[in-house]
Amino acid sequence: MSQQPSSGAIVAPKKELLRGMAIAAAVAGVILTIAVLPAEYGIDPTGAGKALGLTAMHAEAGAPAEGAAPAPAPAEMAAAAPAAPIVGAAKMSTVSAPGEERAATIASKQAVAYRSDVQEITLPAGKGLEVKTLLAKGATLIYSWKTANGEALNHDFHGEPVNAKGDEFESFIEENGVSQSSGSLIAPFTGVHGWYWANKTNAPVKLTLRASGFYTDIYKK
């Protein structure tokens, strides 16, 4: 029997509250087993879901719409994806020197034979001259040059793609008033890559260019 406190409010005994909670939990379990599991997940442990037509609702929800293309199998999806270029060993690594932030690894096999060239070049007074190499995209070029007697030149190490139009080129290293320089390049595009020197003096200037890498030709222009 309910107890009535002096304030007039009716308070249910603790035994009745626990019994009500147990009944509610049992009802929820029955609903989950008979209705929710068969309709939402196709799980029907009692067979009641099939009798009530709830498992059919789950099958219809998972079926493709009429006229829609069937979902591709994983093997078909892999075959349709474009193949990535093989640039080298694509391995994730955290190896780095103490106190340094690791840079991106750039490594690739080269199809062109390695070569090394030395050229003696004379720039006429007040004139400019170019030396070019033929590099494929991803090929490497390493160089150094130095004037014979420390004369200063303006220098532009640059490249232009195959069939470039007009002034379509990219300068990689630009220097003014230098007597020597060295550098390297992994070609960002297939084309001609090389050096331009401008002699601003009133006398001829001699320089020695040393180049090596995976280019197919080197020539003056």
Side-chain angles (χ1 to χ4, degrees):
M1 182 174 179
S2 299
Q3 299 175 353
Q4 184 170 353
S6 58
S7 61
I10 297 175
V11 179
K14 183 181 295 184
K15 187 179 293 186
E16 292 183 15
L17 289 174
L18 293 175
R19 185 174 62 180
M21 292 173 63
I23 293 172
V27 172
V30 171
I31 295 174
L32 176 67
T33 303
I34 295 177
V36 177
L37 291 178
E40 295 293 332
Y41 304 101
I43 301 173
D44 190 13
T46 65
K50 182 178 181 180
L52 296 174
L54 298 175
T55 53
M57 293 173 57
H58 171 74
E60 292 174 0
E66 184 177 354
E76 294 174 348
M77 295 174 64
I86 300 175
V87 178
K91 297 180 180 179
M92 298 298 293
S93 176
T94 58
V95 176
S96 61
E100 283 188 348
E101 182 177 350
R102 178 183 171 86
T105 300
I106 303 176
S108 60
K109 296 192 68 174
Q110 303 290 328
V112 175
Y114 175 82
R115 61 183 291 175
S116 181
D117 295 275
V118 178
Q119 291 205 358
E120 301 292 338
I121 300 165
T122 300
L123 275 69
K127 300 290 185 179
L129 187 144
E130 279 187 291
V131 173
K132 298 286 191 179
T133 64
L134 297 179
L135 275 176
K137 178 182 176 181
T140 304
L141 171 63
I142 303 172
Y143 74 89
S144 68
W145 64 264
K146 184 177 181 179
T147 58
N149 300 302
E151 298 94 337
L153 302 172
N154 293 347
H155 167 232
D156 182 2
F157 179 51
H158 62 282
E160 57 191 60
V162 176
N163 299 324
K165 299 177 182 179
D167 58 352
E168 184 182 2
F169 69 94
E170 180 179 354
S171 293
F172 308 122
I173 298 175
E174 293 181 274
E175 302 169 298
N176 290 328
V178 295
S179 60
Q180 59 184 328
S181 185
S182 58
S184 63
L185 173 71
I186 297 176
F189 48 81
T190 299
V192 291
H193 302 76
W195 310 263
Y196 172 78
W197 299 273
N199 179 10
K200 300 295 184 180
T201 71
N202 296 322
V205 174
K206 293 183 179 181
L207 66 87
T208 301
L209 169 67
R210 291 179 169 84
S212 60
F214 300 94
Y215 48 92
T216 56
D217 195 11
I218 184 169
Y219 59 94
K220 294 179 183 178
K221 184 177 178 181

